[in-house]
Amino acid sequence: MRVLFTSATFRSHLFPLVPLAWALRAAGHDVRVAVQPPLVRDVLGAGLPAIEAGAGPDFMIELKKALAGGLEGPGGTTPSIEQIVVPHVRIAEAFAADLVPFARRWSPDLVVADPAAFVAPVVARAVGAPLVLHTWGPMPDQLWADLVTESEVRQNWPKELLAFLDKWDVPLGPDYADLVIDPCPDELLAIRMASRHATRYVPYNGSALTPSWLDEPAGRPRVCISWGTTSDFMGSEVLRTPLRIVEALADMDVEVVAALGKIDRGLLGAPRDNVRVVDWLPLSMLLPTCDALINQGGPGTVLAAVASGVPQLVVPQISAQPLGAELLTASGAGLSLTPDEVTAESIEKTVSELLDGSSVRAAAQALAERNAARPDATQLVPALQALADSAR
């Protein structure tokens, strides 16, 4: 069969799709991945065929404008669902102009997408193919909990999104998607979407040359701090909190791996013997060597730690991150602080609990074991084949 993948213009939304795309290709199916120009290199780096679509509007600029003043922390407010969704809708409009004509020529048997890629139901509707949604972690309930009846959707979804979907006659309510592939552990679920197939979360974070130090004994606990990809477009405003955390960790008897992207090293202050700064290292490679992780609560980061059984401290700042922090804390596999609560004392206390607390480490390991027991992407292929066959 021919399977068309697409995602929102975030690495964190594209990367969870990669293991399933690999599984389908390994089973002999034809796969294409449609993304905006900023993600084309990431698709090619994953060894997948890319389709460039939706060129024109810059998603990161649109999102940054929408989230202005929406950061958590002093003077910030929690972004509204409209602030988050409207930039995605603008991109979907540009995507549809390119992707619908392509899909009508190529005739995919399935369309697979993350739920924030609002062009996906449009394409599926245009060619009569089943729509498969592939979630990326704890799903924000502002949208997806309302997929019960069409009237409830219309009462709760942003008017811009409804207008876009109505233009293409996309069904709303429980018929929106034919199947939902969900790698989120039950303990971290905010909602259960209809037609849900639970699957194993397999981290994919890109590729890199394995550094020689990675497998060498550290001589002390290794603590990683990662802030995902948010700093790529939100700038130094987002980095204030992790920089304070690195400073606090440097005074502890731990090896610190600061995976904060390509930032100005001068922001980290004077070099410290126990602080290692890396521009980019896939978490799937790094986390199995770590004793604890500190992160901003991005779903991909949280689930990568879950898959490796690593206890984590989450300091949420934007979007759905507070939801992930709340659910992780409730599971017992991690702790959380707000940006306002980050001090040298609070970091020492919480990190010490992650390293020494038997309950949090046991809960993290139990989550990893339950994740590993779920069916992997290769085991989902027959169900997808059956779905495509039923639609022919």
Side-chain angles (χ1 to χ4, degrees), residues 264-283:
D264 179 359
R265 300 294 179 96
L267 294 173
L268 292 165
R272 302 285 289 270
D273 290 341
N274 65 328
V275 177
R276 189 188 302 275
V277 183
V278 296
D279 288 340
W280 172 255
L281 195 59
L283 291 177

Side-chain angles (χ1 to χ4, degrees), residues 57 108 122 131 179 311:
V122 166
L131 172 63
L179 186 145

Side-chain angles (χ1 to χ4, degrees), residues 271-359:
R272 302 285 289 270
D273 290 341
N274 65 328
V275 177
R276 189 188 302 275
V277 183
V278 296
D279 288 340
W280 172 255
L281 195 59
L283 291 177
S284 55
M285 181 186 295
L286 175 58
L287 285 181
T289 75
C290 293
D291 299 285
L293 169 69
I294 303 175
N295 67 90
Q296 88 293 19
T301 305
V302 169
L303 294 189
V306 166
S308 295
V310 177
Q312 51 191 310
L313 167 63
V314 175
V315 185
Q317 290 186 286
I318 61 173
S319 189
Q321 293 170 0
L323 172 65
E326 178 184 347
L327 294 168
L328 180 71
T329 301
S331 77
L335 304 171
S336 66
L337 294 171
T338 67
D340 289 341
E341 292 172 332
V342 171
T343 63
E345 293 75 18
S346 66
I347 292 299
E348 181 177 6
K349 178 181 178 181
T350 52
V351 171
S352 296
E353 185 172 350
L354 294 181
L355 296 175
D356 303 326
S358 58
S359 64

Side-chain angles (χ1 to χ4, degrees), residues 154-192:
R154 292 193 178 280
Q155 290 171 12
N156 291 280
W157 281 24
K159 63 181 184 300
E160 293 87 350
L161 176 57
L162 292 172
F164 172 67
L165 297 177
D166 283 344
K167 175 183 175 182
W168 292 92
D169 195 29
V170 171
L172 302 175
D175 295 329
Y176 183 83
D178 297 276
L179 186 145
V180 176
I181 297 173
D182 190 355
C184 187
D186 290 349
E187 293 85 349
L188 303 186
L189 282 177
I191 58 169
R192 286 178 181 267

Side-chain angles (χ1 to χ4, degrees), residues 197-213:
H197 281 215
T199 186
R200 182 186 312 172
Y201 182 78
V202 177
Y204 171 77
N205 320 107
S207 58
L209 182 66
T210 304
S212 59
W213 56 266

